Amino acid sequence: MATHKIAVVGGDGIGPEVIAEGLKAFEAAGVSTELTHYDLGGARYLRDGTVLPDSVLDEWRNHDAIYLGAVGSPGVPPGVIERGLLLKMRFELDLYINRRPFLLKGDNGHDFVVIRENTEGTYAGEGGFLRKNTPHEIATQGSVNTWRGAERAIRYGFELASARNNHLTLVHKTNVLTFSGDLWQRAFDAVAQDFPDVETDYNHVDAACIYFVQDPQRYDVIVTDNLFGDILTDLGGAVSGGIGLASSANMDPTRNAPSMFEPVHGSAPDIAGQNKANPIAAILSGAMLLEFVGEQAAADRILAACNANLDATGSTTEIGDLIASAI
Ligand code: ATP
């Protein structure tokens, strides 16, 4: 049996609480792991100013995957942890796919997946200020779209659609974003030539918001850019059982660097330390991690145990124990 080297960042607030339940599920599923725990996040930053040292990134490159709870604390200025830790990790490790699955409860178990481009767009950090703090201040925030970046995200979407139900929807705003949207549409049409069996569709992002609420069954796999994907996947979480169930993967499908798996929710300072957080999103993220490192059977068992207990109530540890015994 292979032993998987996993870097664990519990992080802040409810992060360590939910990750503990995820690790409990790994154990119940009988997978062999070698864990390295990292003390990173808002609390660490407030203590000694450390965010994400390059030496830690180098260590992570020797791991098979990263399992992260949540990072962020009240008192840390906006952007320090987001840009300095989460975005740095995505950019430096080139985790170009953000994959978020959604299960619609009580709807014959219909599920769909959003593939969000994870390294470019408005999140690339292009832009700046002119005449800052004057009445004539100018701020620009560019959207960076490379053919390579769009193409590889779109290709992953087509590959996933082929492995599922042969249906892929591109979501963008091509009628207004006529430069980036045009590049995305052309890249989509070009990659589609390689997947003749996949039926394709297109929605503007504003229309997609309506469909997410009114008719999410129309979707199977969606591919979209970084900003639209960020917003759309929070909406996806809200229409499919809530933030306590939403899981995500930040992936390098080429496996050049370790991929990172985390629940969509944040550190939830309002309920931290009270054993109240729902650990299912973290446990489902752990199942994606196991699938990615080749433990399909264990991942399937964890997924089945979670799906059978989506309505479980109780404390964090009670829900974790329930799922561990179901596994
Ligand atoms: P961030 O910026 O890190 O995403 P946030 O405060 O915007 O932080 P969350 O930390 O996700 O967002 O919290 C949003 C709300 O959802 C809070 O009221 C929180 O208590 C609740 N919440 C988040 N995760 C969970 C969970 N696993 N179980 C129960 N409630 C949760």
Side-chain angles (χ1 to χ4, degrees), residues 14 18 71 82 243-244 264-271 276-279:
I14 63 170
V18 296
V71 286
E82 292 81 358
I243 195 78
V264 169
H265 62 73
S267 58
D270 53 335
I271 56 167
K276 267 189 187 168
N278 188 340

Side-chain angles (χ1 to χ4, degrees), residues 278-321:
N278 188 340
I280 293 184
I283 298 172
L284 287 171
S285 305
M288 280 204 279
L289 183 158
L290 293 181
E291 187 183 346
F292 192 72
V293 299
E295 295 283 356
Q296 187 67 52
D300 288 345
R301 284 167 63 202
I302 295 176
L303 194 60
C306 288
N307 285 343
N309 290 287
L310 291 180
D311 294 319
T313 52
S315 69
T316 309
T317 43
E318 280 165 357
I319 297 175
D321 288 343

Side-chain angles (χ1 to χ4, degrees), residues 25-291:
F26 286 5
E27 219 174 293
V31 284
S32 172
T33 56
E34 186 188 318
L35 307 177
T36 322
H37 289 269
Y38 289 87
D39 173 16
L40 294 171
R44 173 76 190 271
Y45 171 76
L46 291 173
R47 208 165 60 242
D48 67 8
T50 301
V51 181
L52 176 56
D54 291 340
S55 58
V56 169
L57 272 175
D58 287 342
E59 286 175 35
W60 285 351
R61 289 181 208 280
N62 296 318
H63 286 74
D64 299 312
I66 303 161
Y67 192 28
L68 187 141
V71 286
S73 302
V76 179
V80 171
I81 299 298
E82 292 81 358
R83 291 214 82 87
L85 203 162
L86 293 173
L87 292 188
K88 181 173 175 181
M89 185 192 303
R90 288 175 189 171
F91 293 169
E92 292 293 321
L93 301 178
D94 200 22
L95 305 179
Y96 62 91
I97 295 296
N98 192 300
R99 175 173 171 167
R100 295 188 177 181
F102 299 101
L103 179 70
L104 299 172
K105 282 197 285 187
D107 224 333
N108 302 323
H110 178 79
D111 70 315
F112 63 101
V113 187
V114 176
I115 301 303
R116 158 187 170 193
E117 198 291 318
N118 213 25
T119 57
E120 302 192 340
T122 43
Y123 289 25
E126 196 233 21
F129 295 106
L130 284 175
R131 308 187 196 113
K132 195 171 180 188
N133 295 322
T134 74
H136 302 286
E137 175 166 349
I138 298 167
T140 61
Q141 190 92 46
S143 176
V144 175
N145 297 265
T146 67
W147 179 273
R148 173 176 174 267
E151 202 263 357
R152 63 185 182 172
I154 289 165
R155 185 168 295 280
Y156 184 84
F158 271 100
E159 284 165 358
L160 182 63
S162 294
R164 285 173 52 100
N165 299 304
N166 280 319
H167 192 276
L168 180 67
T169 306
L170 172 66
V171 170
H172 210 284
K173 186 76 183 171
T174 53
N175 54 342
V176 175
L177 304 182
T178 49
F179 307 124
S180 59
D182 192 69
L183 183 151
W184 270 79
Q185 184 70 66
R186 280 183 288 115
F188 188 83
D189 294 344
V191 179
Q193 302 295 317
D194 297 338
F195 296 88
D197 294 336
V198 175
E199 194 188 330
T200 60
D201 200 356
Y202 170 81
N203 291 156
H204 291 318
V205 66
D206 41 354
C209 289
I210 297 173
Y211 298 142
F212 261 53
V213 175
Q214 293 186 345
D215 183 26
Q217 296 82 357
R218 67 167 55 220
Y219 294 120
D220 196 72
V221 183
I222 290 170
V223 64
T224 190
D225 87 345
N226 207 339
L227 175 61
F228 296 146
D230 192 4
I231 297 166
L232 213 47
T233 52
D234 266 21
L235 186 56
V239 298
S240 66
I243 195 78
L245 303 182
S247 57
S248 82
N250 295 266
M251 304 164 72
D252 169 10
T254 69
R255 294 170 192 274
N256 191 39
S259 293
M260 187 273 264
F261 301 81
E262 60 170 342
V264 169
H265 62 73
S267 58
D270 53 335
I271 56 167
Q274 299 170 41
N275 200 17
K276 267 189 187 168
N278 188 340
I280 293 184
I283 298 172
L284 287 171
S285 305
M288 280 204 279
L289 183 158
L290 293 181
E291 187 183 346

